[in-house]
């Protein structure tokens, strides 16, 4: 008689294998839910997690035994398992895929003895944290004091409030985070702080380390993001899971950090699209943070100067508590926004500069006064395309339906979608014309034109190309903070989150593209980006009265710019919500996007059309609106054709009831469409 016990284990089964839930195995002893194990899967031995619930194996199936138990790591909590279960169910992914993808990859490579050694070293190293002097705290503004008082009332035991902290740029939202974290830590709880991008993590980590890393009882702070080495990520993950770390700061993946005493979750810049995962399990870390707060009984603070329209509407409905920081620290003025109408500039033949005389004059005045300026253009490279005026040839990518961007620094044409790179040709490949020229502008070209327009000015550029090497971003930011740069050229990397004290002028040279985009979220993203960029100016109260933002536009009467000039997010949000309500767009409807990638556009279209037919047969599908398949904005990438099909529902529940059986059918449908390479379902998509 076999005395081994059946147990459910979540393993990362192959995608679309039909093995979406936990699998049944045999164990020689009782295992607590959340225990890490090694288990056989096919011919491999993989890491798994014992999952809550009773195993119910079929009598005719011979179960395989668990290969090893990783006792060195305490079991993951029931609430952590519930969070993963919800994420897998809501975003229509395999349970094991989600559960294992959010664990440190290094964890899968170690046996129990190796893990025990890592845990022992970590406990020993962190046994007695070094004490230090008590750090100074700035005096609170009336807005900050009022927000914290209300936050304290809402965070009474037994409550799990969601708070939208709507604060102007420079109004001191970070200080509110710090004080709220201080209260949670004093109560013996852990704090999770999420930021949208890796390059913002060190800056915020330094602020928290300065506040909590000293004093008579210093706190342990760790970060979790993809920029860490595998060993660092495992060490920080273990510190959080073992309860050794008091504060965890990280990007979207950190929302799954196991924290046994979680008491506060902060989502900084909650509107940022980077919180939405775009590969694999396409989850929203912001939305999962809200769900996790309810599970853990923890307060959730969503902070932003330009909240997402979804969060704003929930605050308007009373589902979130809105706290407002309406004034800058030191009562500094917001930068005056000046629009430059590009239609009124004289058209000089052969002149393609991005810089208006008004902007050049404003920059020159800052250089003379020893102040700094930020010039923002969200397009890297020298020019978007090379062009032959004789035959019309353009530097298209042979593998994508996109242009290869001209990079003057290394004289290459580079596709930013598939990475295909070639040296710049000496002549037009089609007609042999030697006079091929750049068309359009990127940050490299803008940097060059600024250096010509401002002789003697120290011009620097920060974008994805100039920060490739390790430590480059930190070095360049240090130069800006030290005053070694007069004019900083950058993409959105520098337009948000950074505290540049010497910048008094911000310029957006070419922001109009998003005004008339087919993506209904484009105006929301543009307004947020411009408001964030404007917030880099005048952060030092002594210079705030002369801070300014210059926006060069061909559409100066557009309502978006009118709201920007008044720094009136509420007016912009109200107008956008009214438009979306009339059009039946989120947050007044709920969307899912089915994407298909295939060798031909026809194969992708036929798969999506067949998928639509299957969906229509599912109970409840009559309430859905299924749009015809259309190509992506960039239809071909790396010789793969991409199509998408939008599904719209009046309620979230109706959409979810249809999606689960539909996904099961799609797994079988793909086997009938050999030309389809892969498909993916994106629930609550951000980019359409």
């Amino acid at each position: 008689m076999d005395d081994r016990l059946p147990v459910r284990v979540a393993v990362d089964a192959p995608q679309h294998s039909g093995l979406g839930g936990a699998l049944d195995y045999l164990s020689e002893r009782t295992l607590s839910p959340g225990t890490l194990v090694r288990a056989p899967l096919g011919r491999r031995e993989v890491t798994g997690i014992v999952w809550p619930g009773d195993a119910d194996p079929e009598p005719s199936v011979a179960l395989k035994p668990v290969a090893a138990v990783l006792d060195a790591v305490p079991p993951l909590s029931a609430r952590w398992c519930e969070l993963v279960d919800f994420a897998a169910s809501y975003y229509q992914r395999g349970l094991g895929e989600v559960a294992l993808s959010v664990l440190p990859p290094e964890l899968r490579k170690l046996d129990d003895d190796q893990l025990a050694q890592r845990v022992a070293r970590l406990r020993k190293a962190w046994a007695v944290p070094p004490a230090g002097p008590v750090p100074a705290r700035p005096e609170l503004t009336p807005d900050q004091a009022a927000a914290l008082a209300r936050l304290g009332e809402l965070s009474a035991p037994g409550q799990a409030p969601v708070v939208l902290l709507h604060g102007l740029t420079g109004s001191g939202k970070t200080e509110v985070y710090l004080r709220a974290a201080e209260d949670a830590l004093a109560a013996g709880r852990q704090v999770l702080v999420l930021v949208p991008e890796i390059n913002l993590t060190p800056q915020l980590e330094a602020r928290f380390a300065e506040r909590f890393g000293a004093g008579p009882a210093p706190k342990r702070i760790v970060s979790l993001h993809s920029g860490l080495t595998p060993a660092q990520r495992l060490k920080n993950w273990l510190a959080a899971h073992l309860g050794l770390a008091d504060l965890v700061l990280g990007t979207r993946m950190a929302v799954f950090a196991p924290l046994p005493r979680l008491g506060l979750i902060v989502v900084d810049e909650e509107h940022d699209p980077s919180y939405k995962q775009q590969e694999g399990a396409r989850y929203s870390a912001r939305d999962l943070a809200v769900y996790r707060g309810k599970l853990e009984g923890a307060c959730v603070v969503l902070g932003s100067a330009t909240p997402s329209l979804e969060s704003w509407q929930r605050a308007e409905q009373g589902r979130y508590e809105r706290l407002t920081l309406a004034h800058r620290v030191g009562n500094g003025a917001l930068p005056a926004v000046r629009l430059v109408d590009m239609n009124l500039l004289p058209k000089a033949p052969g002149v393609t500069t991005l810089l208006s005389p008004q902007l050049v004059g404003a920059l020159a005045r800052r250089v003379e006064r020893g102040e700094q300026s930020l010039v923002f253009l969200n397009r890297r490279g020298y020019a978007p395309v090379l062009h032959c005026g004789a035959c019309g040839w353009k530097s298209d990518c042979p593998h994508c339906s996109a242009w290869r961007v001209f990079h003057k620094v290394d004289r290459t044409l580079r596709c930013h979608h598939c990475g295909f790179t070639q040296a710049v040709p000496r002549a037009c490949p089609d007609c042999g014309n030697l006079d091929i020229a750049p068309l359009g502008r990127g940050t490299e070209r803008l940097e060059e034109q600024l250096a010509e327009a401002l002789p003697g000015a120290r011009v620097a550029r920060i974008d994805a190309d100039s920060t490739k090497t390790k430590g480059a971003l930190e070095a360049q930011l240090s130069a800006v903070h030290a005053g070694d740069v007069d004019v900083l050229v950058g993409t959105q990397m520098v337009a948000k989150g950074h505290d540049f004290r010497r910048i008094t002028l911000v310029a957006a040279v070419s922001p109009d593209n998003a005004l008339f985009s087919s993506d209904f979220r484009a105006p929301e993203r543009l307004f947020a980006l411009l408001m964030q960029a404007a917030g880099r100016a005048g952060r030092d109260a002594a210079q705030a009265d002369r801070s300014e933002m210059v926006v060069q536009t061909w559409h100066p009467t557009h309502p978006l710019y009118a709201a920007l000039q008044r720094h009136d997010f509420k007016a912009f949000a109200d107008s956008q919500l009214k438009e979306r309500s009339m059009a039946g767009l989120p947050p007044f409807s709920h969307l899912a996007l089915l994407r298909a990638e295939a060798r031909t556009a026809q194969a992708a279209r036929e798969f999506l059309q067949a998928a639509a037919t299957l969906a229509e047969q599912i109970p409840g599908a009559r309430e859905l609106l299924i749009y015809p398949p259309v190509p992506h904005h960039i239809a071909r990438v790396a010789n793969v054709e991409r199509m998408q099909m939008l599904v719209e529902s009046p309620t979230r529940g109706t959409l979810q009831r249809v999606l689960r059986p539909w996904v099961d059918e799609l797994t079988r449908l793909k086997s009938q469409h050999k030309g389809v390479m892969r498909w993916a379902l994106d629930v609550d998509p951000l980019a359409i």
Side-chain angles (χ1 to χ4, degrees), residues 335-380:
V337 178
R338 178 155 61 107
L339 303 180
V340 176
D341 188 349
M342 301 296 283
N343 300 286
L344 302 179
L345 299 185
K347 307 295 189 295
V351 176
T352 58
T353 181
L354 268 173
L355 307 172
S356 64
Q358 295 93 322
L359 176 55
V360 173
L363 290 168
R365 288 191 291 274
R366 264 67 184 188
V367 173
E368 290 173 7
R369 295 201 297 253
E371 298 168 3
Q372 293 178 320
S373 303
L374 169 64
V375 183
F376 163 67
L377 175 64
N378 208 20
R379 184 186 297 125
R380 60 192 172 100

Side-chain angles (χ1 to χ4, degrees), residues 257-277:
L259 295 156
R261 309 188 316 276
L262 183 59
L264 173 68
I265 303 175
V266 173
V267 185
D268 190 30
E269 308 294 359
E270 67 88 30
H271 66 278
D272 199 289
S274 298
Y275 283 120
K276 185 71 157 68
Q277 172 81 3

